[in-house]
Amino acid sequence: MNYHAAFKRYPSPDFGGHSWRIRCLPFVMASPMYSEYRFDERWDSPNNITIDTRPFQSKKIVDENADVPMEVLGVPYPYPCTHSDDAHFASYLMLVGDNAFGKPNGWRSDSEVLDDPKSTIAVAETIATTNHWLSPRDLDVATMSFTVNDGRNSISSRHPRGPAVLFCDWAIYRLNPAIDEDTLKAMVTIDGGEELSRELLVERGMLLAP
């Protein structure tokens, strides 16, 4: 929301070969990392790939005289729900496609989300532990699985209540792994014209409080 307020558009998933996750850092209290990132280099250049291992000052003070590493967009759970011990891997992917929230090699604005924002998914949790958080690679709706918890190319989580999803009104819910494919496909499009009620999905138990 803050990014859109500043630039009148949402961050591109991959414009110029750089991820939306790096573009959002100044809006999630990680400006020190962002200031060190070089957009004129590849996302995995020696300079860029090391920004999250340098001892930047954390916003959470552990010792006022100590620098501590910052972890951004990593695995959100402790054992036994965690799926990776490596903080470099992203646990959140944008839904990307011609009719999805993330516009390939471009940006979207509020006006392009024609379906109800309350039932349109923008970002989802994943167990895709090979996806570095700086990589401009997300969930391609043209090739992803629409069965929840169907491996690395799906919306997925080790959490027993299901993966977290962020809707276009910026509310967060957990997605019941039993949700049917047609409903999930409708929740991924921004202009499909489907009539989905989030309240009804909650009532049916397909969406759970986070």
Side-chain angles (χ1 to χ4, degrees):
M1 292 176 65
N2 290 339
Y3 186 101
H4 193 284
F7 299 107
K8 310 306 179 187
R9 60 189 185 184
Y10 295 114
S12 171
D14 56 0
F15 185 79
H18 302 284
S19 172
W20 65 275
R21 288 175 285 271
I22 186 64
R23 298 180 192 278
C24 282
L25 287 197
F27 302 95
V28 291
M29 300 194 303
S31 296
M33 282 190 194
Y34 183 82
S35 66
E36 295 290 322
Y37 189 86
R38 297 174 184 168
F39 284 93
D40 60 345
E41 298 180 5
R42 285 178 51 90
W43 69 269
D44 56 354
S45 71
N47 174 80
N48 290 341
I49 203 71
T50 58
I51 63 167
D52 60 355
T53 60
R54 300 177 205 164
F56 297 121
Q57 182 66 46
S58 172
K59 295 291 183 179
K60 181 179 180 181
I61 302 300
V62 178
D63 179 334
E64 64 180 10
N65 297 315
D67 286 340
V68 295
M70 300 171 77
E71 182 176 334
V72 181
L73 297 161
V75 180
Y77 312 118
Y79 179 85
C81 295
T82 187
H83 52 264
S84 173
D85 293 326
D86 195 325
H88 300 298
F89 293 121
S91 288
Y92 304 97
L93 301 182
M94 186 181 286
L95 279 295
V96 179
D98 292 338
N99 301 101
F101 177 78
K103 184 176 182 178
N105 203 38
W107 290 264
R108 293 216 190 276
S109 64
D110 267 337
S111 63
E112 294 179 76
V113 182
L114 302 181
D115 291 344
D116 187 352
K118 293 173 63 177
S119 55
T120 303
I121 299 174
V123 174
E125 187 180 348
T126 179
I127 61 168
T129 54
T130 58
N131 200 68
H132 195 285
W133 72 275
L134 283 172
S135 170
R137 184 177 64 188
D138 288 88
L139 274 177
D140 182 348
V141 300
T143 59
M144 68 177 278
S145 170
F146 285 92
T147 298
V148 175
N149 288 342
D150 188 27
R152 295 176 177 176
N153 198 35
S154 69
I155 299 174
S156 49
S157 176
R158 303 263 190 246
H159 195 283
R161 288 168 55 81
V165 292
L166 174 70
F167 287 96
C168 290
D169 69 338
W170 317 122
I172 298 172
Y173 283 81
R174 291 201 178 278
L175 197 61
N176 187 330
I179 194 167
D180 64 277
E181 292 189 12
D182 288 341
T183 300
L184 183 53
K185 287 178 181 178
M187 295 168 74
V188 165
T189 61
I190 60 171
D191 56 2
E194 305 91 349
E195 294 186 8
L196 291 176
S197 164
R198 186 162 75 196
E199 289 74 16
L200 182 58
L201 289 169
V202 170
E203 184 179 320
R204 289 171 51 203
M206 294 299 101
L207 291 177
L208 310 172

